[in-house]
């Protein structure tokens, strides 16, 4: 009997599918964006924006398929709305990591132990605790992958009008201020002699040419975010062995920087495309991911940590998105649609659904809530 995959192995397999497809398309046309410029962050149906790896994979899917409404639903939310996923559609993996401390003596989780409290302990006291991580993963679908437009035509028109009225940003004030003397993890120095933004490790500085030297401003921002990602890997920060002579390690670091730059781009709604100097690595990335899916899993999770550190440093706060539950003004319609969907499934299975026997259909509030990254 085959061994059952762990949650991280399942996610790694789906990441492999997503990124092999992306890199293959970019190899055919380097202008294909990792993520497209967007006026609104990708979010759950409850209005909570995605972060980190979840922001990246949903943004990649939205760019690839042209989803202009950045709303994603869990299976539970889909069912509570009485929706069905269109034939042939495939969702994206969403992950959540729950970090906690286990008491070595009892072997049990102790919610009273926090990172702040642990950091205040002596070395001897810390030996009594182990920091652990519990990973949860599930699948979500973009609202356009369901029959929402047919089931709720008025609400769909409202969402289209709402999101369609927003414009993707042409510039980013936070990054502009940073280049003009703001705060980053290392000095950011304007340089008229630089051809493109460059992190110089031995000086721990990012040299940045004038934005006007680029024909495309979005490319300037994309290159800047890429070099900012590199700077997080220096010794004393995340220690990713920058400057290694190993071509494999160089390719791995470039992959992390490309992905982290793309995630950071989602903070500001900016388009992210592959750096010209990394086209040479596309084939090796595809080969490595195809042979060992854990390669892309590690790169994506590292990129997520980089983006979290960047958000904290830059003071980026993703505000609440659009709560589709609030948009839905026909809860009874949702209930009835849900019952009908259950009936269709039951009819195919040859049984009578509980909803028509007096059972209660869960409303939109059912399903996962809270942090989206």
């Amino acid at each position: 009997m085959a061994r059952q995959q762990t949650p991280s192995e399942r996610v790694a397999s789906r990441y492999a599918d997503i990124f092999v497809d992306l890199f293959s398309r970019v190899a055919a046309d380097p202008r294909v964006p990792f993520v497209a410029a967007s006026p609104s962050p990708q979010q759950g149906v409850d209005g909570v924006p995605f972060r980190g790896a979840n922001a990246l994979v949903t943004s990649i899917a939205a760019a690839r398929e042209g989803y202009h409404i950045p709303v994603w639903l869990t299976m539970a939310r889909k069912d509570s709305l009485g929706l069905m996923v269109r034939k042939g559609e495939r969702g994206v993996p969403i992950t959540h990591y729950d970090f906690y401390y286990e008491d070595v003596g009892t072997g049990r989780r102790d919610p009273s132990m926090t990172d702040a409290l642990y950091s205040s302990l002596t070395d001897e006291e810390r030996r009594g605790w182990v920091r652990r991580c519990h990973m949860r993963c599930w699948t979500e679908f973009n609202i356009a992958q369901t029959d929402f437009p047919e089931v709720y035509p008025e609400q769909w028109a409202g969402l289209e009008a709402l999101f369609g009225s927003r414009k993707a940003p042409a510039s980013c004030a936070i990054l502009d201020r940073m280049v003009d003397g703001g705060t980053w993890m290392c000095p950011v120095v304007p340089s008229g002699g630089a051809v493109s933004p460059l992190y110089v490790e031995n000086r721990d500085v990012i040299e940045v040419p004038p934005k006007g030297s680029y024909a495309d401003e979005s490319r300037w921002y994309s290159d800047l975010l890429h070099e900012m990602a590199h700077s997080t890997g220096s010794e004393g920060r995340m220690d990713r062995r920058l400057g290694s002579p190993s071509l494999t390690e160089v390719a791995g670091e470039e992959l992390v920087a490309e992905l982290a730059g793309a995630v950071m781009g989602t903070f500001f709604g900016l388009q992210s495309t592959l750096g010209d100097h990394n086209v040479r690595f596309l084939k090796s990335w595809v080969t490595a991911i195809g042979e060992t899916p854990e390669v892309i899993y590690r790169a994506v999770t590292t990129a997520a940590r980089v983006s979290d550190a960047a958000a904290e440093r830059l003071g980026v706060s993703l505000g609440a998105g659009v709560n589709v539950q609030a948009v839905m003004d026909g809860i009874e319609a949702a209930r009835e649609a849900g019952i009908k969907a259950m009936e269709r499934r039951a009819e195919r299975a040859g049984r009578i659904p509980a909803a028509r026997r007096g059972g209660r259909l869960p409303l939109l509030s059912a399903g996962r809530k809270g942090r989206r990254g």
Side-chain angles (χ1 to χ4, degrees):
M1 185 170 136
R3 180 181 67 85
Q4 187 175 6
Q5 285 186 314
T6 65
S8 61
E9 288 172 337
R10 291 196 300 273
V11 172
S13 178
R14 282 292 291 121
Y15 281 174
D17 293 342
I18 291 168
F19 286 95
V20 166
D21 173 72
L22 172 63
F23 295 149
S24 297
R25 288 186 293 110
V26 172
D29 182 1
R31 294 169 299 178
V32 170
F34 281 15
V35 300
S38 173
S40 306
Q42 303 298 315
Q43 61 160 76
V45 72
D46 51 8
V48 180
F50 290 113
R51 297 185 68 99
N54 298 333
L56 180 59
V57 295
T58 52
S59 295
I60 287 172
R64 181 187 64 204
E65 304 297 339
Y67 299 142
H68 59 284
I69 296 181
V71 176
W72 298 77
L73 303 92
T74 63
M75 295 295 285
R77 294 295 176 90
K78 172 189 70 67
D79 290 342
S80 70
L81 280 169
L83 302 174
M84 299 187 76
V85 174
R86 300 185 191 281
K87 185 176 180 180
E89 295 288 349
R90 194 174 187 188
V92 297
I94 299 298
T95 56
H96 174 70
Y97 297 89
D98 179 23
F99 293 94
Y100 63 93
Y101 288 91
E102 182 180 284
D103 186 316
V104 173
T106 64
R108 294 181 179 178
R109 175 176 181 167
D110 188 339
S112 68
M113 179 57 69
T114 63
D115 286 342
L117 182 56
Y118 181 81
S119 64
S120 69
L121 300 179
T122 64
D123 290 343
E124 180 64 29
E125 290 172 328
R126 290 181 183 181
R127 293 192 184 96
W129 300 92
V130 177
R131 191 171 189 261
R132 299 201 183 280
C133 175
H134 173 67
M135 174 187 179
R136 291 188 294 124
C137 61
W138 60 92
T139 298
E140 296 204 18
F141 293 87
N142 185 270
I143 198 167
Q145 293 179 278
T146 72
D147 56 358
F148 189 100
E150 294 79 28
V151 177
Y152 303 107
E154 291 183 10
Q155 288 84 355
W156 177 258
L159 289 174
E160 285 194 309
L162 177 63
F163 286 105
S165 65
R166 300 180 178 184
K167 303 298 182 184
S171 61
C172 177
I174 291 178
L175 294 179
D176 289 342
R177 286 195 299 270
M178 183 192 74
V179 173
D180 289 337
T183 302
W184 179 238
M185 298 179 185
C186 66
V188 178
V189 181
S191 171
V195 176
S196 63
L198 176 66
Y199 174 60
V200 184
E201 185 190 1
N202 61 358
R203 292 168 46 212
D204 193 31
V205 63
I206 299 175
E207 296 181 344
V208 185
K211 190 192 303 182
S213 65
Y214 274 60
D216 180 359
E217 281 194 5
S218 68
R219 178 74 261 173
W220 182 84
Y221 284 117
S222 187
D223 287 350
L224 174 59
L225 291 169
H226 180 97
E227 297 305 318
M228 290 167 62
H230 275 315
S231 72
T232 67
S234 67
E235 186 176 353
R237 296 192 184 110
M238 295 186 180
D239 298 321
R240 293 199 303 273
R241 294 189 62 187
L242 303 183
S244 168
S246 165
L247 188 60
T248 298
E249 291 190 358
V250 170
E253 170 60 22
E254 289 300 328
L255 177 57
V256 168
E258 289 288 356
L259 300 182
V263 179
M264 289 189 279
T266 67
F267 296 161
F268 312 112
L270 299 171
Q271 175 173 290
S272 295
T273 52
L274 180 73
D276 295 337
H277 61 291
N278 278 336
V279 173
R280 60 183 173 139
F281 290 125
L282 281 170
K283 184 178 292 186
S284 66
W285 288 344
V286 170
T287 300
I289 294 167
E291 293 175 349
T292 312
E294 289 74 15
V295 167
I296 191 62
Y297 176 77
R298 290 194 297 269
V300 171
T301 52
T302 300
R305 290 196 296 273
V306 170
S307 69
D308 285 344
E312 181 177 357
R313 186 73 177 195
L314 294 171
V316 174
S317 177
L318 297 178
V322 175
N323 189 329
V324 178
Q325 180 172 335
V327 173
M328 299 298 298
D329 50 23
I331 293 298
E332 288 304 318
R335 186 193 302 273
E336 186 62 23
I339 292 174
K340 289 180 179 178
M342 291 173 65
E343 286 180 334
R344 293 197 298 272
R345 288 192 289 269
E347 190 174 51
R348 289 196 293 267
R351 65 177 187 273
I352 301 174
R356 289 299 189 195
R357 299 199 307 265
R360 187 181 180 195
L361 183 73
L363 296 181
L364 184 57
S365 58
R368 293 180 173 85
K369 291 184 177 181
R371 187 170 181 268
R372 310 298 304 180

